[in-house]
Amino acid sequence: MEDHWTVGHVAGLAGVSVRTLHHYDEIGLVRPSARTSAGYRAYSAADVERLREVLAYRRLGFGLREVAELAGDPSTDAVAHLRRLRGLLLERRDRADAMVAAIDRELEARAKGLKVTPEEQLEVLGARLYDAIGGAYTATRRTDPRIAAQIWDALGDAGTVLNVGAGTGSYEPADRDVTAAEPSAVMRAQRPAGSAPCVAAAAENLPFEDQSFDAAMAVSTVHHWGDPMAGLREMRRVARRVVVLTFDTDEPGWQDRFWLTRDYLPEFAGVLAEFPSLAGMAGAIGARAEPVPIPWDCADGLFEAYWRRPGAYLEDHVRRAMSVWTKVGPRAERRAVRSLGEDLGSGRWAERNGDFAGLDAADLGLRLLVA
């Protein structure tokens, strides 16, 4: 059969058993779309592509239910899957490299006859290991205390909080009763032990009764939602207070606020072309808008975080923590990185952006909606 492959051939190529492929077919995970003239299952190129995604996620440790959610995500195409897999593999590589370095240090100490206490062994494979990962993977999204203080102040006296589009749990207040909602199995799998309970749910369809929470919060996530306005209305429905960290595209020439989008990545404007206006979002939930200045040493690796540290944008692992680069595509990314590198090397960037040097924080369009 032209452009189709038998189950036995695919099993051999993928390094799995025919029984495994039959099981995937039975549970609806990967169903071959054709049959041979003899009645055997046959896989199309699209079937093989889906199988590749399923097997890759399985080998990264995800369960079958999570794999089904990931592979079946209608908003994610083959390129997005590959970029997601690449990011997960890079993070795993960084973790492995850090662990190898920790083991090498201990081997060296033992070779010198130095005593390694149990506390030191556990510290090397625990806190120190994650410190090492953090140094190598500086763009991993973390809570910046100054931005957090503004968000938590906006929550007021709310005792119960729903974090919508919660991701890995940044900005969840430790002194409140928090419930998280996150549709991505990749993100849920990366939430640290001891974090708030997390349900698999999208903002547009929250599985909670009206006014179930004192407050609902959403941090740097609205631009990922399929229907931002519907998600905001859902937050308003389930909570008495709503706090949303988002971005302002209402101001004329807004893309020129940040030198990166002004001089190197004009495609950024296209990324947010369909994004609702700040006024529209505020109106949907009856909110006021507050500017959120970004500190020069912002700990959260969001897109604008390195406005006074431009060299960070040349680092692949920094950019991988920012969804903007995936959305503009590799050609725009390569051009922007190349141009920025040239300007940093020639001194042109410093000439253009000397005003930033003395600032401790900058208003680059982040806004906190509080309703």
Side-chain angles (χ1 to χ4, degrees), residues 159-196:
T160 57
V161 177
L162 175 66
N163 187 15
V164 181
T168 59
S170 297
Y171 298 100
E172 290 178 359
D175 60 343
R176 323 282 181 112
D177 181 6
V178 177
T179 300
E182 169 56 52
S184 168
V186 170
M187 289 296 183
R188 294 197 304 273
Q190 295 180 71
R191 290 177 63 83
S195 60

Side-chain angles (χ1 to χ4, degrees), residues 326-349:
T326 299
K327 292 181 178 180
V328 299
R331 180 177 299 178
E333 180 178 1
R334 287 193 297 268
R335 188 208 64 241
V337 171
R338 181 178 64 253
S339 298
L340 175 58
E342 292 171 353
D343 285 355
L344 288 174
S346 68
R348 189 181 183 195
W349 182 90

Side-chain angles (χ1 to χ4, degrees), residues 57-361:
Y57 286 125
R58 285 290 286 155
R59 289 170 187 176
L60 282 166
F62 290 99
L64 288 176
R65 181 175 298 178
E66 291 176 322
V67 170
E69 292 180 17
L70 291 167
D73 184 352
S75 66
T76 306
D77 60 14
V79 172
H81 277 298
L82 287 172
R83 287 183 175 272
R84 178 189 285 168
L85 288 166
R86 184 175 186 273
L88 290 168
L89 287 166
L90 286 173
E91 183 178 3
R92 178 166 292 191
R93 182 195 65 186
D94 289 339
R95 290 176 183 270
D97 287 347
M99 184 173 287
V100 168
I103 291 172
D104 286 346
R105 287 193 298 270
E106 183 170 333
L107 286 172
E108 183 178 354
R110 289 179 181 273
K112 293 178 179 178
L114 300 176
K115 182 180 180 181
V116 182
T117 67
E119 291 81 7
E120 289 172 328
Q121 292 173 26
L122 293 175
E123 187 176 7
V124 163
L125 295 176
R128 286 187 185 175
L129 172 61
Y130 287 100
D131 285 345
I133 294 168
Y137 201 77
T138 56
T140 298
R141 303 299 291 269
R142 297 187 294 274
T143 299
D144 183 272
R146 292 147 294 191
I147 296 176
Q150 189 170 349
I151 294 172
W152 296 343
D153 182 64
L155 291 174
D157 60 357
T160 57
V161 177
L162 175 66
N163 187 15
V164 181
T168 59
S170 297
Y171 298 100
E172 290 178 359
D175 60 343
R176 323 282 181 112
D177 181 6
V178 177
T179 300
E182 169 56 52
S184 168
V186 170
M187 289 296 183
R188 294 197 304 273
Q190 295 180 71
R191 290 177 63 83
S195 60
C198 186
V199 299
E204 299 89 338
N205 188 24
L206 296 172
F208 304 105
E209 299 293 332
D210 294 357
Q211 304 296 287
S212 299
F213 299 90
D214 295 331
M217 58 183 280
V219 178
S220 298
T221 179
V222 174
H223 55 287
H224 293 303
W225 299 353
D227 187 341
M229 301 300 280
L232 292 170
R233 288 191 291 268
E234 273 288 87
M235 293 179 69
R236 176 82 282 180
R237 178 184 67 79
V238 302
R240 288 175 282 280
R241 177 183 292 262
V242 177
V243 177
V244 178
L245 182 65
T246 185
F247 192 79
D248 179 11
T249 59
D250 288 2
E251 180 184 343
W254 61 267
Q255 61 268 37
D256 293 336
R257 284 182 300 224
F258 184 24
W259 55 261
L260 182 57
T261 55
R262 182 193 67 207
D263 300 330
Y264 304 100
L265 201 65
E267 293 86 354
F268 181 69
V271 170
L272 295 181
E274 303 300 323
F275 193 58
S277 68
L278 186 72
M281 290 188 289
I285 55 176
R288 69 177 189 275
E290 301 176 358
V292 180
I294 302 175
W296 78 269
D297 57 348
C298 185
D300 186 351
L302 47 82
F303 180 59
E304 301 86 356
Y306 305 95
W307 58 269
R308 218 182 86 175
R309 296 169 286 168
Y313 293 103
L314 304 182
E315 301 295 332
D316 182 76
H317 62 268
V318 170
R319 298 194 306 277
R320 292 288 69 77
M322 305 168 182
S323 62
V324 168
W325 299 102
T326 299
K327 292 181 178 180
V328 299
R331 180 177 299 178
E333 180 178 1
R334 287 193 297 268
R335 188 208 64 241
V337 171
R338 181 178 64 253
S339 298
L340 175 58
E342 292 171 353
D343 285 355
L344 288 174
S346 68
R348 189 181 183 195
W349 182 90
E351 292 174 3
R352 280 182 171 179
N353 301 288
D355 293 345
F356 284 111
L359 297 179
D360 291 329

